[in-house]
Amino acid sequence: CMIRVGIVKDCSIITLEYFSKSKEYEDIDLGFKKAGIQLCGYCNSFKYFSVYRLLKDNYRPEKEQLMELTAEDKCTCTEQTSFMNGILYATANRHEREGRKKNV
């Protein structure tokens, strides 16, 4: 809703509704729930897709990466520490789902 239509012409777009059927979404959603995060609805797409991108690019995100990502979030419905904890829980969920060892 914040990108001009001309920019995405001839692009493939994945909606949050479509993404919500994926295992990656489940990992993030469970992480958010475990951290006690209740999203307002306005920022859901940013939070889910930005965490997905972070976890896709990083096996175990560093604290600086978490702080950078959470600082990008302009919505006040989620406190920064809770958001960071949600990301850490989502990371653990992903590792468990993929069968990775916890001490790796």
Side-chain angles (χ1 to χ4, degrees):
C1 65
M2 299 183 74
I3 298 174
R4 296 177 189 250
V5 171
I7 294 173
V8 294
K9 181 181 178 195
D10 299 324
C11 294
S12 176
I13 299 172
I14 296 175
T15 63
L16 186 59
E17 291 76 18
Y18 179 83
F19 181 63
S20 70
K21 297 174 182 143
S22 70
K23 295 291 183 188
E24 291 83 0
Y25 177 92
E26 271 184 45
D27 296 338
I28 298 165
D29 193 50
L30 289 172
F32 285 177
K33 287 178 181 172
K34 189 169 184 179
I37 296 173
Q38 294 186 355
L39 301 177
C40 66
Y42 178 75
C43 65
N44 292 23
S45 293
F46 169 79
K47 285 189 170 84
Y48 281 94
F49 285 124
S50 61
V51 172
Y52 168 72
R53 182 189 69 227
L54 178 69
L55 298 183
K56 181 180 173 203
D57 295 341
N58 301 279
Y59 174 75
R60 181 169 285 134
E62 300 290 329
K63 183 177 181 179
E64 294 79 24
Q65 292 171 309
L66 298 177
M67 292 179 74
E68 183 179 316
L69 175 65
T70 57
E72 291 176 21
D73 182 20
K74 304 303 180 205
C75 189
T76 58
C77 76
T78 306
E79 185 257 329
Q80 186 179 25
T81 302
S82 296
F83 191 16
M84 289 172 51
N85 287 336
I87 297 168
L88 293 173
Y89 289 135
T91 303
N93 293 338
R94 178 181 177 196
H95 294 174
E96 186 176 332
R97 176 177 54 81
E98 292 178 348
R100 296 180 181 177
K101 293 180 182 177
K102 291 184 181 183
N103 62 353
V104 174

